[in-house]
Amino acid sequence: QIELVPLNLSSIGMDKMNAKVAMSFNNIGIAHHAHGRFDDAILHYCKALEVLKQQGQYACSSAVIYCNIGAAMGAKGQYDDGLAEYKKALEIFKQKGENNNAVGTANCYNNMGIVLQKQEHYKDAMVQHNKALVIRTRVLGKHHPATLKSIGTILGDPQAMNQMR
């Protein structure tokens, strides 16, 4: 088992607080998330955002981190909070231009759909899944695994399909 040593941010000069440090915090958050330590994951995701904000590097990487926070919130059952984080991510993706990170935008829509399904908001979930499918088909092609996963999600949820009728 790996033991993580907390990083003392004051020991790092501001000139070194950059996107690489932020992505390191993000990656630590991903590791915590994978082990079910969602609060620790969220803490590290927030540290990553803080580094990016301090350096004025608030870009698409911030949107990815917001998506990660949304996923951790959803895993904790805090669906509304998770959706709020996904919406922040989408706003950043839109500001930067969808084509700047179309796959990230599609993933965000897909994850929103998953959360909405868990809340039994099936019609809203299908809207989000369809948005993901349209982007994935356009950018990745109709035979890409992510595109096929979107199709499977839409066609494979009988509860959602019944609610749509």
Side-chain angles (χ1 to χ4, degrees), residues 2 4 38 43 48 55 60 65 71 75 81 83 85 101 106 140:
I2 298 172
L4 299 174
F38 305 118
L43 174 71
Q55 291 299 301
C60 286
I65 296 168
D81 293 334
L83 285 172
E85 298 300 320
N101 194 337
L140 301 173

Side-chain angles (χ1 to χ4, degrees), residues 80-111:
D80 290 334
D81 293 334
L83 285 172
E85 298 300 320
Y86 289 129
K87 288 176 183 176
K88 290 178 190 175
L90 283 175
E91 199 55 43
I92 294 168
F93 284 137
K94 287 177 185 176
Q95 288 173 3
K96 300 298 177 184
E98 181 188 289
N99 290 333
N100 207 7
N101 194 337
V103 173
T105 302
N107 291 342
C108 197
Y109 282 129
N110 182 72
N111 292 347

Side-chain angles (χ1 to χ4, degrees), residues 12-28:
I12 300 175
M14 286 304 291
D15 58 320
K16 296 185 182 186
M17 298 290 281
N18 58 32
K20 289 181 182 178
V21 173
M23 288 301 103
S24 294
F25 279 126
N26 183 60
N27 292 340
I28 292 168

Side-chain angles (χ1 to χ4, degrees), residues 33 38 42 67-83 86 115 118:
H33 190 129
F38 305 118
I42 292 166
C67 285
N68 290 343
I69 294 170
M73 293 288 199
K76 289 177 61 171
Q78 297 174 342
Y79 301 127
D80 290 334
D81 293 334
L83 285 172
Y86 289 129
V115 170
K118 288 179 180 179

